Amino acid sequence: MARRSLPLLKHLLSSSSTSTTPTLRRSVTYMPRPGDGEPRPVTLIPGDGIGPLVTNAVEQVMEAMHAPVYFEKYEVHGDMMRVPSEVMESIKKNKVCLKGGLTTPMGGGVSSLNLQLRKELDLYASLVNCFNLQGLPTRHQNVDIVVIRENTEGEYAGLEHEVVPGVVESLKVITKFCSERIAKYAFEYAYLNNRKKVTAVHKANIMKLADGLFLESCREVATKYPGIKYNEIIVDNCCMQLVSKPEQFDVMVTPNLYGNLVANTAAGIAGGSGVMPGGNVGADHAIFEQGASAGNVGNEKLLEQKTANPVAVLLSSAMMLRHLQFPSFADRLETAVKQVISEGRYRTKDLGGSSTTQEVVDAVIGALD
Protein backbone atom coordinates (compact mmCIF):
# COMPACT_ATOMS: atom_id res chain seq x y z
CA MET A 1 0.00 0.00 0.00
CA ALA A 2 2.78 2.39 0.96
CA ARG A 3 4.74 1.60 -2.22
CA ARG A 4 1.71 2.20 -4.43
CA SER A 5 0.90 5.55 -2.77
CA LEU A 6 4.47 6.90 -2.91
CA PRO A 7 4.41 7.85 -6.65
CA LEU A 8 1.01 9.51 -6.16
CA LEU A 9 2.33 11.47 -3.17
CA LYS A 10 5.36 12.64 -5.17
CA HIS A 11 3.08 13.72 -8.03
CA LEU A 12 0.80 15.71 -5.71
CA LEU A 13 3.74 17.42 -4.03
CA SER A 14 5.38 18.35 -7.33
CA SER A 15 2.14 19.64 -8.88
CA SER A 16 1.25 21.71 -5.80
CA SER A 17 4.71 23.23 -5.63
CA THR A 18 4.68 24.21 -9.31
CA SER A 19 1.21 25.71 -9.08
CA THR A 20 1.81 27.85 -5.98
CA THR A 21 5.48 28.79 -6.19
CA PRO A 22 6.46 30.96 -9.16
CA THR A 23 9.72 30.17 -10.91
CA LEU A 24 12.41 32.72 -10.09
CA ARG A 25 13.77 34.18 -13.30
CA ARG A 26 16.66 36.60 -13.16
CA SER A 27 17.25 38.44 -16.39
CA VAL A 28 20.66 39.64 -17.52
CA THR A 29 20.26 43.40 -17.80
CA TYR A 30 23.77 44.46 -18.76
CA MET A 31 27.38 43.47 -18.25
CA PRO A 32 29.02 46.05 -15.99
CA ARG A 33 32.51 47.29 -16.60
CA PRO A 34 35.08 46.86 -13.82
CA GLY A 35 34.47 49.61 -11.28
CA ASP A 36 30.81 50.21 -12.19
CA GLY A 37 29.82 49.20 -8.66
CA GLU A 38 31.70 52.09 -7.09
CA PRO A 39 29.34 54.36 -5.11
CA ARG A 40 28.30 57.40 -7.10
CA PRO A 41 27.92 60.88 -5.59
CA VAL A 42 24.54 62.56 -6.11
CA THR A 43 23.78 66.18 -5.27
CA LEU A 44 20.71 66.38 -3.01
CA ILE A 45 18.57 69.51 -2.71
CA PRO A 46 15.81 68.80 -0.14
CA GLY A 47 14.09 72.08 -1.07
CA ASP A 48 11.13 73.78 0.61
CA GLY A 49 8.03 72.66 2.48
CA ILE A 50 7.55 68.90 2.25
CA GLY A 51 10.73 68.54 0.17
CA PRO A 52 12.99 67.52 3.08
CA LEU A 53 10.34 65.03 4.24
CA VAL A 54 10.04 63.18 0.93
CA THR A 55 13.73 63.35 0.00
CA ASN A 56 14.55 61.88 3.41
CA ALA A 57 12.32 58.96 2.39
CA VAL A 58 14.67 58.36 -0.54
CA GLU A 59 17.72 58.52 1.74
CA GLN A 60 16.22 55.88 4.02
CA VAL A 61 15.30 53.53 1.16
CA MET A 62 18.70 53.90 -0.51
CA GLU A 63 20.40 53.05 2.77
CA ALA A 64 18.14 50.03 3.30
CA MET A 65 18.95 48.75 -0.22
CA HIS A 66 22.67 49.47 0.20
CA ALA A 67 22.39 51.27 -3.14
CA PRO A 68 25.76 52.39 -4.56
CA VAL A 69 25.03 56.11 -4.20
CA TYR A 70 25.79 58.71 -1.57
CA PHE A 71 24.37 62.20 -1.25
CA GLU A 72 26.01 65.61 -1.06
CA LYS A 73 23.26 67.65 0.61
CA TYR A 74 22.80 71.41 0.15
CA GLU A 75 20.26 73.85 1.53
CA VAL A 76 18.56 75.74 -1.30
CA HIS A 77 15.29 77.65 -0.95
CA GLY A 78 13.00 79.25 -3.48
CA ASP A 79 13.30 82.75 -2.01
CA MET A 80 17.04 82.89 -2.74
CA MET A 81 18.12 85.29 -5.48
CA ARG A 82 20.31 82.62 -7.12
CA VAL A 83 21.31 79.00 -6.71
CA PRO A 84 24.52 79.11 -4.62
CA SER A 85 27.69 78.60 -6.64
CA GLU A 86 28.82 75.63 -4.55
CA VAL A 87 25.56 73.84 -5.40
CA MET A 88 26.05 74.42 -9.11
CA GLU A 89 29.63 73.18 -8.84
CA SER A 90 28.45 70.02 -7.07
CA ILE A 91 25.86 69.26 -9.76
CA LYS A 92 28.36 69.90 -12.54
CA LYS A 93 30.87 67.59 -10.84
CA ASN A 94 28.41 64.80 -10.00
CA LYS A 95 26.27 65.27 -13.13
CA VAL A 96 23.20 63.96 -11.25
CA CYS A 97 20.93 65.68 -8.72
CA LEU A 98 17.85 64.68 -6.74
CA LYS A 99 15.65 67.61 -5.78
CA GLY A 100 12.62 68.33 -3.64
CA GLY A 101 10.22 71.10 -4.60
CA LEU A 102 11.35 74.72 -4.59
CA THR A 103 8.70 77.37 -4.08
CA THR A 104 8.62 80.07 -6.74
CA PRO A 105 7.46 83.48 -5.47
CA MET A 106 4.59 85.00 -7.48
CA GLY A 107 5.13 88.29 -9.24
CA GLY A 108 8.29 90.33 -9.58
CA GLY A 109 11.47 90.46 -7.57
CA VAL A 110 12.78 86.90 -7.42
CA SER A 111 13.29 84.66 -10.45
CA SER A 112 12.56 80.95 -10.41
CA LEU A 113 15.50 78.86 -9.22
CA ASN A 114 14.05 75.93 -11.17
CA LEU A 115 14.48 77.95 -14.37
CA GLN A 116 18.00 78.94 -13.36
CA LEU A 117 18.97 75.30 -12.91
CA ARG A 118 17.49 74.28 -16.26
CA LYS A 119 19.13 77.11 -18.18
CA GLU A 120 22.58 77.04 -16.57
CA LEU A 121 22.83 73.24 -16.87
CA ASP A 122 21.05 73.20 -20.25
CA LEU A 123 18.52 70.64 -19.05
CA TYR A 124 16.56 70.94 -22.26
CA ALA A 125 14.26 67.92 -21.85
CA SER A 126 11.68 67.47 -19.12
CA LEU A 127 10.20 63.98 -18.89
CA VAL A 128 7.11 63.02 -16.88
CA ASN A 129 5.78 59.45 -16.92
CA CYS A 130 2.03 59.29 -16.14
CA PHE A 131 0.72 55.75 -15.71
CA ASN A 132 -1.87 53.74 -13.78
CA LEU A 133 -0.63 52.02 -10.65
CA GLN A 134 -2.22 48.66 -9.95
CA GLY A 135 -4.63 48.83 -7.02
CA LEU A 136 -5.05 52.62 -7.24
CA PRO A 137 -8.56 53.40 -8.55
CA THR A 138 -8.75 56.05 -11.27
CA ARG A 139 -11.39 57.13 -13.75
CA HIS A 140 -9.39 55.83 -16.73
CA GLN A 141 -7.43 52.60 -17.16
CA ASN A 142 -4.55 51.67 -19.50
CA VAL A 143 -2.94 55.09 -19.12
CA ASP A 144 0.80 55.09 -19.81
CA ILE A 145 1.83 58.48 -21.16
CA VAL A 146 5.29 60.00 -21.35
CA VAL A 147 5.27 63.80 -21.73
CA ILE A 148 8.53 65.19 -23.09
CA ARG A 149 8.67 68.96 -22.86
CA GLU A 150 11.15 71.47 -24.23
CA ASN A 151 12.59 73.05 -21.11
CA THR A 152 14.65 76.12 -22.01
CA GLU A 153 12.71 78.50 -24.25
CA GLY A 154 9.13 79.30 -25.32
CA GLU A 155 7.08 81.35 -22.86
CA TYR A 156 9.61 80.47 -20.15
CA ALA A 157 12.42 82.39 -21.87
CA GLY A 158 11.96 85.11 -19.25
CA LEU A 159 12.02 87.94 -21.78
CA GLU A 160 9.47 90.39 -20.38
CA HIS A 161 9.39 94.16 -20.15
CA GLU A 162 6.96 97.01 -19.63
CA VAL A 163 6.55 98.90 -22.89
CA VAL A 164 4.67 101.80 -21.29
CA PRO A 165 2.93 101.92 -17.91
CA GLY A 166 0.11 99.41 -17.98
CA VAL A 167 1.42 97.51 -21.03
CA VAL A 168 3.71 94.49 -20.59
CA GLU A 169 5.26 92.53 -23.42
CA SER A 170 6.29 88.89 -22.88
CA LEU A 171 8.19 87.21 -25.70
CA LYS A 172 7.76 83.59 -26.73
CA VAL A 173 10.98 82.34 -28.28
CA ILE A 174 11.05 79.23 -30.50
CA THR A 175 14.26 78.23 -32.29
CA LYS A 176 15.00 75.58 -34.87
CA PHE A 177 17.90 74.26 -32.80
CA CYS A 178 15.90 73.69 -29.60
CA SER A 179 12.87 72.34 -31.45
CA GLU A 180 14.97 69.81 -33.35
CA ARG A 181 16.84 68.54 -30.32
CA ILE A 182 13.67 68.04 -28.24
CA ALA A 183 12.05 66.23 -31.17
CA LYS A 184 15.15 64.03 -31.53
CA TYR A 185 15.07 63.26 -27.82
CA ALA A 186 11.38 62.29 -27.95
CA PHE A 187 11.82 59.96 -30.91
CA GLU A 188 15.01 58.50 -29.47
CA TYR A 189 13.20 57.86 -26.18
CA ALA A 190 10.35 56.15 -28.03
CA TYR A 191 12.78 54.04 -30.06
CA LEU A 192 14.85 52.93 -27.07
CA ASN A 193 11.79 52.15 -24.92
CA ASN A 194 9.76 50.27 -27.53
CA ARG A 195 7.11 52.99 -27.73
CA LYS A 196 4.92 53.03 -30.81
CA LYS A 197 3.76 56.61 -31.29
CA VAL A 198 4.92 60.20 -30.82
CA THR A 199 2.36 63.02 -30.73
CA ALA A 200 3.42 66.63 -31.22
CA VAL A 201 1.29 69.16 -29.30
CA HIS A 202 1.00 72.65 -30.80
CA LYS A 203 -1.07 75.75 -31.52
CA ALA A 204 0.21 76.35 -35.04
CA ASN A 205 -3.27 77.30 -36.27
CA ILE A 206 -2.82 80.58 -34.38
CA MET A 207 0.93 80.93 -33.73
CA LYS A 208 1.82 80.04 -37.29
CA LEU A 209 5.48 81.04 -37.22
CA ALA A 210 6.53 79.97 -33.71
CA ASP A 211 4.58 76.73 -33.36
CA GLY A 212 4.88 76.25 -37.10
CA LEU A 213 8.66 76.06 -36.69
CA PHE A 214 8.25 73.56 -33.85
CA LEU A 215 6.02 71.35 -36.03
CA GLU A 216 8.34 71.61 -39.00
CA SER A 217 11.21 70.37 -36.82
CA CYS A 218 9.14 67.46 -35.47
CA ARG A 219 8.12 66.42 -38.98
CA GLU A 220 11.72 66.40 -40.20
CA VAL A 221 12.87 64.24 -37.29
CA ALA A 222 9.88 61.89 -37.69
CA THR A 223 11.04 60.91 -41.20
CA LYS A 224 14.17 59.34 -39.64
CA TYR A 225 12.08 56.98 -37.49
CA PRO A 226 9.75 55.19 -39.93
CA GLY A 227 8.93 52.49 -37.37
CA ILE A 228 7.31 55.02 -35.00
CA LYS A 229 3.92 56.48 -35.81
CA TYR A 230 3.81 60.28 -35.74
CA ASN A 231 0.80 62.55 -35.40
CA GLU A 232 -0.05 66.09 -34.32
CA ILE A 233 -2.75 67.61 -32.13
CA ILE A 234 -3.75 71.17 -31.28
CA VAL A 235 -3.22 71.83 -27.57
CA ASP A 236 -6.84 72.67 -26.70
CA ASN A 237 -8.13 69.52 -28.41
CA CYS A 238 -5.31 67.64 -26.69
CA CYS A 239 -6.60 68.65 -23.26
CA MET A 240 -10.12 67.49 -24.15
CA GLN A 241 -8.81 64.17 -25.51
CA LEU A 242 -6.67 63.65 -22.42
CA VAL A 243 -9.63 63.80 -20.06
CA SER A 244 -11.88 61.71 -22.31
CA LYS A 245 -9.60 59.08 -23.94
CA PRO A 246 -6.09 59.31 -22.42
CA GLU A 247 -5.21 55.74 -23.41
CA GLN A 248 -4.80 56.89 -27.04
CA PHE A 249 -1.57 58.74 -26.18
CA ASP A 250 1.91 57.23 -25.89
CA VAL A 251 4.84 59.69 -26.10
CA MET A 252 3.96 63.37 -26.36
CA VAL A 253 6.44 66.07 -27.35
CA THR A 254 5.59 69.69 -26.59
CA PRO A 255 6.94 73.23 -26.39
CA ASN A 256 7.58 74.52 -22.89
CA LEU A 257 4.28 75.94 -21.61
CA TYR A 258 2.02 73.34 -23.24
CA GLY A 259 4.12 70.56 -21.75
CA ASN A 260 3.61 71.90 -18.23
CA LEU A 261 -0.16 71.92 -18.70
CA VAL A 262 -0.33 68.57 -20.48
CA ALA A 263 1.92 66.79 -17.95
CA ASN A 264 -0.11 68.02 -14.97
CA THR A 265 -3.39 67.07 -16.64
CA ALA A 266 -2.09 63.59 -17.47
CA ALA A 267 -0.78 63.20 -13.90
CA GLY A 268 -4.16 64.09 -12.45
CA ILE A 269 -5.85 61.53 -14.69
CA ALA A 270 -3.42 58.73 -13.79
CA GLY A 271 -3.41 59.14 -10.01
CA GLY A 272 -2.20 62.60 -9.00
CA SER A 273 1.03 64.53 -8.61
CA GLY A 274 2.00 62.49 -5.55
CA VAL A 275 2.75 59.37 -7.59
CA MET A 276 4.15 60.62 -10.91
CA PRO A 277 7.94 60.49 -11.40
CA GLY A 278 9.93 62.85 -13.57
CA GLY A 279 13.26 64.36 -14.41
CA ASN A 280 15.08 67.01 -16.40
CA VAL A 281 17.97 65.96 -18.59
CA GLY A 282 20.55 67.53 -20.85
CA ALA A 283 23.63 66.35 -22.67
CA ASP A 284 25.77 66.31 -19.49
CA HIS A 285 23.53 66.64 -16.43
CA ALA A 286 20.23 65.39 -15.01
CA ILE A 287 17.96 66.46 -12.15
CA PHE A 288 15.28 64.09 -10.85
CA GLU A 289 12.23 65.29 -8.95
CA GLN A 290 8.48 64.88 -8.60
CA GLY A 291 7.08 64.78 -12.13
CA ALA A 292 4.00 66.98 -11.92
CA SER A 293 4.04 70.47 -10.44
CA ALA A 294 4.59 70.24 -6.72
CA GLY A 295 1.51 72.23 -5.69
CA ASN A 296 1.73 70.52 -2.32
CA VAL A 297 5.25 71.78 -1.57
CA GLY A 298 4.08 74.61 0.67
CA ASN A 299 1.19 72.69 2.28
CA GLU A 300 1.77 73.40 5.97
CA LYS A 301 -0.80 70.83 7.08
CA LEU A 302 1.02 68.01 5.27
CA LEU A 303 4.26 69.16 6.82
CA GLU A 304 2.88 69.40 10.37
CA GLN A 305 1.16 66.01 10.18
CA LYS A 306 4.05 64.46 8.23
CA THR A 307 1.65 62.93 5.71
CA ALA A 308 3.25 63.99 2.42
CA ASN A 309 3.20 61.31 -0.26
CA PRO A 310 6.78 60.11 -0.97
CA VAL A 311 5.86 57.83 -3.92
CA ALA A 312 6.59 60.31 -6.73
CA VAL A 313 10.09 61.10 -5.43
CA LEU A 314 10.79 57.41 -4.72
CA LEU A 315 9.86 56.50 -8.30
CA SER A 316 11.91 59.46 -9.57
CA SER A 317 14.89 58.08 -7.65
CA ALA A 318 14.32 54.74 -9.39
CA MET A 319 14.61 56.63 -12.68
CA MET A 320 17.82 58.15 -11.33
CA LEU A 321 19.23 54.71 -10.52
CA ARG A 322 18.57 53.57 -14.10
CA HIS A 323 20.22 56.74 -15.37
CA LEU A 324 23.27 55.82 -13.25
CA GLN A 325 23.22 52.30 -14.76
CA PHE A 326 22.10 50.53 -11.60
CA PRO A 327 19.07 48.79 -13.13
CA SER A 328 18.66 46.01 -10.56
CA PHE A 329 18.46 48.53 -7.71
CA ALA A 330 15.95 50.56 -9.72
CA ASP A 331 13.83 47.46 -10.33
CA ARG A 332 13.88 46.51 -6.64
CA LEU A 333 12.79 49.98 -5.57
CA GLU A 334 10.07 50.32 -8.21
CA THR A 335 8.72 46.83 -7.49
CA ALA A 336 8.57 47.54 -3.75
CA VAL A 337 6.72 50.85 -4.26
CA LYS A 338 4.21 49.27 -6.63
CA GLN A 339 3.66 46.38 -4.22
CA VAL A 340 2.84 48.76 -1.36
CA ILE A 341 0.41 50.73 -3.54
CA SER A 342 -1.21 47.52 -4.84
CA GLU A 343 -1.73 46.06 -1.35
CA GLY A 344 -3.40 49.29 -0.25
CA ARG A 345 -2.60 49.05 3.47
CA TYR A 346 -0.27 52.05 3.53
CA ARG A 347 -1.38 55.08 1.56
CA THR A 348 -1.29 58.78 2.29
CA LYS A 349 -4.45 60.89 2.33
CA ASP A 350 -4.19 61.98 -1.32
CA LEU A 351 -4.51 58.29 -2.31
CA GLY A 352 -7.46 57.64 -0.03
CA GLY A 353 -5.52 56.40 3.00
CA SER A 354 -4.44 57.77 6.35
CA SER A 355 -0.78 56.75 6.57
CA THR A 356 2.08 59.05 7.45
CA THR A 357 5.08 59.51 5.21
CA GLN A 358 7.20 57.36 7.50
CA GLU A 359 4.65 54.52 7.50
CA VAL A 360 4.76 54.41 3.71
CA VAL A 361 8.56 54.46 3.76
CA ASP A 362 8.69 51.62 6.30
CA ALA A 363 6.28 49.60 4.14
CA VAL A 364 8.45 50.13 1.04
CA ILE A 365 11.57 49.09 2.94
CA GLY A 366 9.74 46.00 4.17
CA ALA A 367 8.73 45.13 0.62
CA LEU A 368 12.24 45.33 -0.82
CA ASP A 369 13.21 42.03 -2.40
Side-chain angles (χ1 to χ4, degrees):
M1 179 67 180
R3 288 182 179 179
R4 288 198 301 270
S5 62
L6 189 58
L8 177 61
L9 182 61
K10 287 182 177 179
H11 172 73
L12 289 173
L13 288 173
S14 63
S15 62
S16 64
S17 63
T18 54
S19 61
T20 59
T21 306
T23 304
L24 180 63
R25 295 181 180 178
R26 188 178 299 279
S27 60
V28 178
T29 51
Y30 77 109
M31 184 173 70
R33 297 164 298 184
D36 274 359
E38 287 293 317
R40 294 282 299 276
V42 173
T43 305
L44 176 62
I45 301 175
D48 296 315
I50 66 167
L53 190 60
V54 294
T55 55
N56 178 254
V58 175
E59 291 183 273
Q60 291 183 60
V61 173
M62 292 292 176
E63 183 177 354
M65 286 198 302
H66 303 290
V69 298
Y70 62 93
F71 293 106
E72 297 178 358
K73 190 184 298 188
Y74 292 91
E75 290 294 323
V76 180
H77 300 286
D79 57 359
M80 292 179 172
M81 293 302 295
R82 290 197 59 80
V83 178
S85 58
E86 62 269 21
V87 179
M88 296 303 302
E89 290 169 7
S90 174
I91 299 174
K92 289 176 180 178
K93 171 179 66 76
N94 298 334
K95 301 188 181 302
V96 177
C97 173
L98 181 70
K99 184 174 78 67
L102 291 172
T103 56
T104 300
M106 301 296 177
V110 180
S111 62
S112 168
L113 298 191
N114 293 311
L115 288 183
Q116 288 183 27
L117 286 167
R118 293 169 196 167
K119 288 186 177 181
E120 188 161 342
L121 299 170
D122 197 24
L123 305 173
Y124 67 86
S126 166
L127 186 149
V128 181
N129 190 188
C130 304
F131 56 93
N132 293 124
L133 284 164
Q134 185 177 352
L136 187 64
T138 56
R139 185 180 297 272
H140 297 279
Q141 298 302 312
N142 303 316
V143 177
D144 187 6
I145 302 169
V146 174
V147 182
I148 294 176
R149 158 192 173 195
E150 204 292 318
N151 224 8
T152 60
E153 56 176 19
E155 295 84 351
Y156 287 52
L159 300 175
E160 296 183 312
H161 64 277
E162 189 174 40
V163 182
V164 295
V167 179
V168 172
E169 188 174 56
S170 180
L171 301 180
K172 170 178 176 172
V173 177
I174 299 287
T175 64
K176 180 79 168 176
F177 172 77
C178 289
S179 297
E180 276 189 350
R181 72 175 179 174
I182 196 63
K184 287 177 182 176
Y185 184 81
F187 276 94
E188 187 175 65
Y189 176 90
Y191 172 67
L192 293 175
N193 289 277
N194 196 30
R195 296 279 183 158
K196 307 303 180 185
K197 181 170 68 173
V198 173
T199 301
V201 182
H202 67 94
K203 192 64 178 174
N205 58 325
I206 302 299
M207 284 169 268
K208 299 181 184 299
L209 290 179
D211 285 21
L213 178 58
F214 176 78
L215 278 188
E216 177 187 313
S217 302
C218 290
R219 290 167 183 168
E220 289 177 5
V221 174
T223 61
K224 301 174 183 176
Y225 293 85
I228 298 173
K229 183 180 178 182
Y230 170 71
N231 65 349
E232 300 166 356
I233 189 168
I234 296 173
V235 63
D236 37 359
N237 182 33
C238 174
C239 293
M240 183 184 71
Q241 295 294 328
L242 268 175
V243 298
S244 57
K245 293 191 296 182
E247 64 277 358
Q248 68 183 288
F249 295 108
D250 192 354
V251 175
M252 307 175 79
V253 59
T254 77
N256 208 333
L257 177 61
Y258 308 155
N260 194 10
L261 304 177
V262 168
N264 280 274
T265 303
I269 290 165
S273 61
V275 294
M276 298 302 146
N280 304 277
V281 67
D284 300 312
H285 309 95
I287 293 181
F288 296 88
E289 58 186 331
Q290 181 172 313
S293 290
N296 55 1
V297 166
N299 190 319
E300 293 295 332
K301 190 174 181 181
L302 288 178
L303 189 57
E304 290 171 6
Q305 298 177 348
K306 300 188 185 304
T307 55
N309 191 344
V311 169
V313 178
L314 287 171
L315 291 176
S316 298
S317 66
M319 289 175 58
M320 179 189 76
L321 288 170
R322 287 198 183 91
H323 180 79
L324 291 169
Q325 296 188 349
F326 299 134
S328 64
F329 286 93
D331 291 343
R332 287 176 61 201
L333 174 52
E334 191 171 289
T335 300
V337 171
K338 289 181 177 179
Q339 180 180 323
V340 171
I341 294 294
S342 178
E343 291 173 351
R345 291 180 58 199
Y346 298 98
R347 292 180 183 175
T348 48
K349 188 176 181 180
D350 60 313
L351 302 184
S354 58
S355 301
T356 64
T357 306
Q358 190 58 51
E359 287 172 339
V360 175
V361 173
D362 291 340
V364 171
I365 291 173
L368 289 170
D369 180 12

